[in-house]
Amino acid sequence: MELKHIDIACLSVSPVNMRGVKKAPDLTNILPSVRARGVLVPLIVRPVVHSQSYEIVAGKRRYHAALIVAQDEGGIDPLPCAVMEAGDDAAALEASLIENIARLDPDEVTRWESFTRLVREGRSPEDISLTFGLTELQVKRTLALGNLLPRIRNLYRSDTIDAVTVRHLTLASKARQREWLALLDDENARPPMGHHVKSWLMGGNAIPTDKALFDPADYAGGIVADLFGDHSYFADVDMFWKMQDMVIADRVEGLREAGWQDVVVMGRGEAFHSWEHEHCPKAKGGRVYVTIGHGGDVSFHEGYITSREARRLEQGDAMDKPIRPELSAPLASYVDLHRHAAVRAQVATAPGIALRLMVAHAISGSALWRVEVASQRGASDAISESIENCASEAAFDKERRIAIGLLGLDPDTPCVTGRCYDRELIPLYLRLLDLDDATVLGILAIVMGETLEVGSALIELLGVQLGVDMAEHWQADDVLLDLIRDREVMGHVLADVAGEEAAAGNGAATAKVQRQIVRDCLEGINGRDKRTGWVPRWMAFPPSAYTERGGVGSVERWVKVAPMLEATEAQTDPQADVVTPSDQPDDTVTLEMEQPQQAA
């Protein structure tokens, strides 16, 4: 029995499978495992006569779970398969029975430890694969865990990170692995997970060179090899898809010239479900379905019609003859690209149109735009509520409500930006055409405010550049005081609010007592003079720390951007180029101040 990895598009369920073909399987207890670790146990398959595809004798549930994961994540690695010889239904049924009686879901880190000991004793990956009934590639992937830092292996063993993330981290150097762990430890960062790790390592969505329908030698972009050299990847994904689509179009045209009445090119990532189709020869109207995976894989399923069409044929109804389109795919591509080039050239000379297009794209998104609203969800409900009730948020939301009204959006919409509201791009763009430039710029300011990244260095730079005074936007509340748990920091805050004398006199008091003194001073109660306009050092612009211990995110970010701002100001006239609230130009208009009339 040969062991190999087979693309999921080349697989279908065999009629001899113990679990049947048409009955939908129950994936409740297997889908989480496949999502987390992928398909570990090989499927038992046999080749389909006169075809490049295989039918699944045993492993239907794993196959259906893999289909769901592939659709959700935009692709999945080829599945491990044990290939039986064609024919002999009795042997195939026997294999299906045996496989469904006993299942195994081993701990891969433990498996790595065992395999590593065998390698030290002189066993090769091929020997191990034969012993354990795995493919040699599976053994190599397991051994690759040895390239990981011990902490990453432990995270994998405890299910803190998934199998896809670990697979791609094995391609990283130790230095890059440390960078990834630093992102994991940073509360303000988001470490790449799953397939995004490969993009992070290689700068894009990596596609293996063996997925190309063209000769990789004709590819002008860079090619990256993985840890073992078993796979290599195209560095320029856009260039790959341009070349791949051209070959697909040529093959589709060739199939039509060969007599196929209809060739259906399915959307990228859309799966071909064999159980929803039945075989039909070319002469009787069978068509070709072309599936294209996000990972670059392409499959041609020849001689199929839908199950509904098959029933109609059985009843004697004639199938509708497909109408051949006026334009072939290559000709349609030629026309579309030239028209796109002409329109783009004109947009480049129309900044007013470009402005409105940009705002519409930022609000509604498109196939090429992905814009996210900054999350203002805090680490606790109390923090979130404090943000929702602050004066700054109220002022911003007032402007946002005006923008929502001008755009004709649902008044109950929580924000202007966001693809989740199913807003159509063209009607939104046409609406913006009715508004003058000042109003469109005001809406753009709201969109920019909604999409400013929380906890980023840009916040530090803008806060200083715009002269933001936090005392005008924020007042100390119980949420802040309750969050200060460090005794040393509370002592500095007490000195800040109540003065050095009060801090020295209560230096031995508990943090709880010091916190109450600070609260009394801020409210002006219990005989304390009221302290107004106080802002903690780390909240001010520019920020600073109370201690030398570090770990203040705002201060660390400011240290990075301060030299850049100083260098810029040294080269320009600050009075002319830096706009602050006190010297805004007279034509600056907020949505609250003025709402221009819309054109009739």
Side-chain angles (χ1 to χ4, degrees):
M1 191 176 287
E2 180 186 8
L3 296 172
K4 62 190 298 185
H5 281 71
I6 300 175
D7 193 287
I8 195 170
C10 298
L11 297 171
S12 61
V13 179
S14 170
V16 302
N17 187 282
M18 175 186 174
R19 297 180 179 272
V21 176
K22 295 187 177 180
K23 184 179 179 181
D26 180 10
L27 307 177
T28 305
N29 64 339
I30 191 174
L31 185 56
S33 174
V34 174
R35 285 192 190 279
R37 299 179 178 274
V39 175
L40 297 178
V41 180
L43 286 68
I44 301 177
V45 303
R46 61 180 181 176
V48 177
V49 181
H50 305 306
S51 173
Q52 297 296 318
S53 59
Y54 298 80
E55 57 182 15
I56 300 169
V57 173
K60 174 183 174 182
R61 294 170 72 245
R62 276 165 284 154
Y63 166 71
H64 280 279
L67 279 175
I68 293 175
V69 173
Q71 290 176 355
D72 291 348
E73 299 183 4
I76 192 169
D77 290 336
L79 306 184
C81 297
V83 183
M84 303 178 63
E85 292 184 2
D88 197 351
D89 285 356
L93 182 57
E94 181 184 30
S96 178
L97 287 168
I98 294 172
E99 196 273 345
N100 279 281
I101 289 172
R103 293 193 178 93
L104 180 65
D105 186 14
D107 174 1
E108 196 170 11
V109 176
T110 302
R111 188 194 296 180
W112 165 75
E113 293 170 345
S114 302
F115 288 0
T116 301
R117 286 195 295 270
L118 290 172
V119 169
R120 289 172 182 165
E121 294 173 4
R123 299 288 296 277
S124 68
E126 182 180 4
D127 295 334
I128 296 172
S129 69
L130 293 173
T131 301
F132 286 86
L134 301 170
T135 66
E136 190 171 348
L137 179 58
Q138 281 183 296
V139 174
K140 285 185 175 182
R141 283 177 171 173
T142 300
L143 290 172
L145 297 179
N147 186 53
L148 296 172
L149 295 171
R151 184 184 169 197
I152 294 179
R153 282 200 298 271
N154 290 334
L155 289 170
Y156 180 40
R157 177 178 291 197
S158 63
D159 289 330
T160 304
I161 55 178
D162 59 30
V164 179
T165 301
V166 166
R167 290 272 183 268
H168 298 320
L169 283 175
T170 60
L171 306 179
S173 64
K174 294 294 193 296
R176 291 288 275 166
Q177 291 177 35
R178 293 188 186 95
E179 289 179 27
W180 186 88
L181 286 172
L183 291 174
L184 185 68
D185 294 335
D186 189 345
E187 294 181 357
N188 298 316
R190 294 182 180 178
M193 294 289 185
H195 293 284
H196 298 294
V197 175
K198 187 181 292 184
S199 300
W200 177 69
L201 291 173
M202 301 184 179
N205 296 321
I207 295 178
T209 53
D210 59 5
K211 300 300 182 183
L213 298 180
F214 55 86
D215 186 349
D218 297 331
Y219 172 79
I223 292 180
V224 181
D226 74 0
L227 181 65
F228 301 106
D230 290 334
H231 296 287
S232 53
Y233 302 90
F234 293 107
D236 190 332
V237 176
D238 291 336
M239 182 183 297
F240 163 81
W241 279 116
K242 287 179 181 178
M243 299 179 69
Q244 190 84 329
D245 288 342
M246 289 177 63
V247 178
I248 293 172
D250 288 342
R251 292 200 180 182
V252 167
E253 196 64 23
L255 288 166
R256 287 179 175 145
E257 292 176 357
W260 290 99
Q261 295 183 16
D262 193 13
V263 181
V264 180
V265 180
M266 303 178 73
R268 192 178 298 176
E270 187 177 353
F272 173 76
H273 301 300
S274 58
W275 61 88
E276 296 176 347
H277 299 79
E278 295 191 17
H279 284 285
C280 181
K282 182 195 307 182
K284 292 187 177 182
R287 62 176 64 93
V288 180
Y289 289 87
V290 184
T291 55
I292 306 171
H294 289 290
D297 49 292
V298 181
S299 298
F300 295 82
H301 306 271
E302 297 185 4
Y304 284 91
I305 57 176
T306 65
S307 299
R308 179 178 297 179
E309 290 170 332
R311 301 292 82 79
R312 287 176 55 191
L313 283 178
E314 290 176 358
Q315 296 170 6
D317 295 339
M319 285 183 56
D320 296 331
K321 185 177 181 180
I323 300 174
R324 185 167 184 173
E326 180 176 339
L327 301 183
S328 65
L331 179 55
S333 174
Y334 175 90
V335 172
D336 287 343
L337 287 171
H338 273 288
R339 298 176 80 248
H340 172 269
V343 171
R344 182 164 65 176
Q346 289 299 110
V347 169
T349 65
I353 295 292
L355 169 65
R356 286 157 177 81
L357 284 171
M358 186 185 72
V359 174
H361 276 75
I363 293 174
S364 68
S366 75
L368 301 179
W369 280 66
R370 293 290 184 273
V371 181
E372 295 183 14
V373 177
S375 172
Q376 293 187 293
R377 188 68 187 168
S380 67
D381 290 340
I383 296 175
S384 299
E385 186 176 350
S386 176
I387 298 299
E388 290 174 4
N389 295 328
C390 73
S392 300
E393 188 60 20
F396 183 82
D397 194 60
K398 184 177 181 180
E399 291 286 318
R400 175 162 49 197
R401 293 296 115 197
I402 297 173
I404 288 173
L406 289 168
L407 292 171
L409 303 178
D410 184 348
D412 295 329
T413 300
C415 55
V416 174
T417 316
R419 287 175 55 85
C420 58
Y421 306 120
D422 296 326
R423 296 168 182 164
E424 295 185 15
L425 177 64
I426 293 178
L428 188 59
Y429 162 67
L430 294 175
R431 182 86 178 189
L432 288 166
L433 282 179
D434 291 338
L435 306 177
D436 60 31
D437 285 355
T439 304
V440 173
L441 288 171
I443 294 173
L444 175 59
I446 298 299
V447 172
M448 193 64 254
E450 288 183 342
T451 56
L452 272 177
E453 185 181 0
V454 177
S456 66
L458 185 60
I459 296 296
E460 309 306 329
L461 187 146
L462 290 174
V464 172
Q465 191 179 36
L466 296 172
V468 175
D469 183 355
M470 284 300 297
E472 298 178 359
H473 298 267
W474 173 86
Q475 277 189 324
D477 54 17
D478 286 340
V479 178
L480 171 80
L481 298 179
D482 290 340
L483 288 171
I484 302 176
R485 306 290 177 84
D486 187 283
R487 182 183 177 85
E488 181 183 5
V489 173
M490 180 54 73
H492 286 292
V493 168
L494 179 61
D496 242 7
V497 176
E500 295 290 346
E501 183 177 346
N506 294 276
T510 64
K512 181 178 180 180
V513 171
Q514 293 179 341
R515 186 180 297 108
Q516 186 57 50
I517 295 173
V518 171
R519 186 177 285 110
D520 291 346
C521 290
L522 292 174
E523 297 179 6
I525 60 176
N526 295 329
R528 303 281 182 181
D529 293 334
K530 186 172 184 177
R531 174 76 155 86
T532 60
W534 172 74
V535 175
R537 295 180 187 177
W538 358 268
M539 289 186 67
F541 290 101
S544 59
Y546 285 107
T547 71
E548 300 295 328
R549 287 153 36 193
V552 181
S554 58
V555 175
E556 294 172 354
R557 292 189 294 270
W558 172 244
V559 169
K560 293 180 180 178
V561 300
M564 291 185 278
L565 184 60
E566 291 173 0
T568 301
E569 292 177 342
Q571 297 173 7
T572 60
D573 179 6
Q575 298 300 320
D577 295 317
V578 178
V579 179
T580 64
S582 61
D583 61 5
Q584 289 182 0
D586 294 337
D587 61 350
T588 299
V589 179
T590 65
L591 295 175
E592 178 183 359
M593 294 168 57
E594 182 176 343
Q595 299 181 42
Q597 295 294 320
Q598 299 181 29

